[in-house]
Amino acid sequence: MHIPDNYLSPSTCATLGAAMIPIWRKATINIKKEMSRQKMPLLGICAAFSFLIMMFNIPLPGGTTGHAVGATLVAILLGPFSATIAVTIALAVQALFFGDGGILSLAANSFNMAFAMPFVGYYIFRFVKDKVSNNKGEYIAAFIAGYVSLNLAALLTAIQLGIQPILFKDGSGLPLYSPYGLDISIPAMMIPHLLVAGVLEGLVTAAVYGYVKKVSPEVIYEGTIKKIKPIYGLIMSLIVLSPLGILATGVAWGEWGSEEIKELLGFIPKGIENGFHFNALMPDYTILDIQEFIAYFISAVVGVVLILSITRLMSIRRFKGKNKDLGDLNKDIM
């Protein structure tokens, strides 16, 4: 679901960037108002969780791969605006350091996975939870919210890719950017997400929600955190297991490299061939000649450290001049 650079036209990227700027601004303002010191560690943990869960690729029908995102879970735990910031941080780290998703298309990916998905998932969760009053209502609501929201994000991605060959062609009538129209992009994206990836997202959302409710229920009911070690344990487990994410073969639909698109089409669209190219430090979670599964594990560690560092800096800036209280917080949660 990570749209690479040059698969969307510059004007499409600019339009979605213009749409995301006020959303990011609103989210930043809301976090400043609502995010207490007690909740700030959760922002980093949730961003790290979203980053890690997206590393676990699974095989999908059609020979492609997919993954959960975790955006709705973050929205349920922290609120949709906080989820927008957390998932955006995860997407930015993926794009800048690992080349997973584009730089120019960061706003598009954020619109799909960091805005539409958590907001829709959050309100579906609240609606279903209120309608199903038994003990399982929260879990049913979490599953449905995760399932529907991921499929919405996939649909938005399919539309953004599918309109490219309709709007942008070269002098020969060939597509300049993403080559497949809506008649192909929508079923190619939606069938595997409706059948498999959405179910995975729903299960992850409900299961991790249940885990947090069991080990640290104050996160859900009080918006604070008292027992952080079990939640850090979840992050550590995902890091250790992260090499499992490379077992699935195939490439996610719409995330092809130049050589792969040439094999598919017999040519490389000019907008892709001559577009913006960014060399990430650890492209596709690889490191020079290091074995793939070791490099994937190291990438998981590096990504989590980067994300926790970013959110730590945000916390210091947010609570500048109140270091004493921040120190007291660190003692409380250790």
Side-chain angles (χ1 to χ4, degrees), residues 5-20:
D5 276 330
N6 307 318
Y7 278 76
L8 300 179
S9 71
S11 58
T12 305
C13 293
T15 300
L16 290 166
M20 278 305 299

Side-chain angles (χ1 to χ4, degrees), residues 216-295:
S216 192
E218 71 277 0
V219 171
I220 295 172
Y221 299 113
E222 301 172 15
T224 61
I225 187 166
K226 296 175 182 175
K227 297 179 181 178
I228 202 169
K229 288 183 179 179
I231 299 180
Y232 273 134
L234 173 64
I235 298 299
M236 291 299 296
S237 299
L238 291 175
I239 291 174
V240 172
L241 296 173
S242 61
L244 296 176
I246 59 176
L247 293 181
T249 58
V251 179
W253 198 90
E255 298 182 27
W256 312 285
S258 294
E259 293 303 318
E260 291 162 329
I261 197 73
K262 188 175 182 179
E263 289 182 9
L264 290 169
L265 300 175
F267 69 96
I268 303 175
K270 292 180 180 177
I272 295 176
E273 186 173 22
N274 303 320
F276 173 76
H277 294 283
F278 173 77
N279 295 320
L281 187 63
M282 300 165 68
D284 296 326
Y285 307 96
T286 60
I287 306 172
L288 298 177
D289 296 328
I290 295 179
Q291 287 187 333
E292 189 178 13
F293 74 96
I294 297 176

Side-chain angles (χ1 to χ4, degrees), residues 11-186:
S11 58
T12 305
C13 293
T15 300
L16 290 166
M20 278 305 299
I21 287 174
I23 295 169
W24 280 324
R25 184 175 182 276
K26 178 72 173 177
T28 302
I29 292 172
N30 272 38
I31 281 186
K32 287 181 178 178
K33 290 179 179 178
E34 298 176 1
M35 190 62 73
S36 64
R37 289 190 193 84
Q38 287 76 17
K39 292 179 68 174
M40 281 304 294
L42 283 174
L43 186 71
I45 292 171
C46 286
F49 174 81
S50 180
F51 171 84
L52 288 169
I53 203 67
M54 285 192 270
M55 293 184 72
F56 286 82
N57 296 305
I58 60 169
L60 295 178
T64 64
T65 64
H67 54 74
V69 175
T72 293
L73 173 69
V74 179
I76 293 171
L77 296 178
L78 300 184
F81 284 111
S82 297
T84 294
I85 296 299
V87 180
T88 295
I89 291 172
L91 292 172
V93 168
Q94 288 173 334
L96 289 169
F97 293 91
F98 304 103
D100 190 10
I103 304 299
L104 298 180
S105 56
L106 177 61
N109 289 322
S110 298
F111 185 88
N112 302 335
M113 289 183 275
F115 167 59
M117 186 175 175
F119 269 84
V120 170
Y122 175 77
Y123 286 107
I124 289 177
F125 173 79
R126 292 187 58 176
F127 176 80
V128 176
K129 180 173 172 287
D130 291 341
K131 298 297 180 184
V132 183
S133 57
N134 60 44
N135 294 331
K136 297 180 180 178
E138 290 176 288
Y139 302 105
I140 294 172
F143 176 84
I144 294 174
Y147 177 83
V148 174
S149 62
L150 184 77
N151 278 288
L152 173 67
L155 178 62
L156 290 172
T157 303
I159 292 173
Q160 290 159 10
L161 291 171
I163 62 173
Q164 299 305 306
I166 300 172
L167 299 176
F168 307 101
K169 298 179 181 178
D170 63 16
S172 305
L174 295 173
L176 276 170
Y177 307 102
S178 179
Y180 297 111
L182 294 169
D183 58 330
I184 295 178
S185 67
I186 289 179

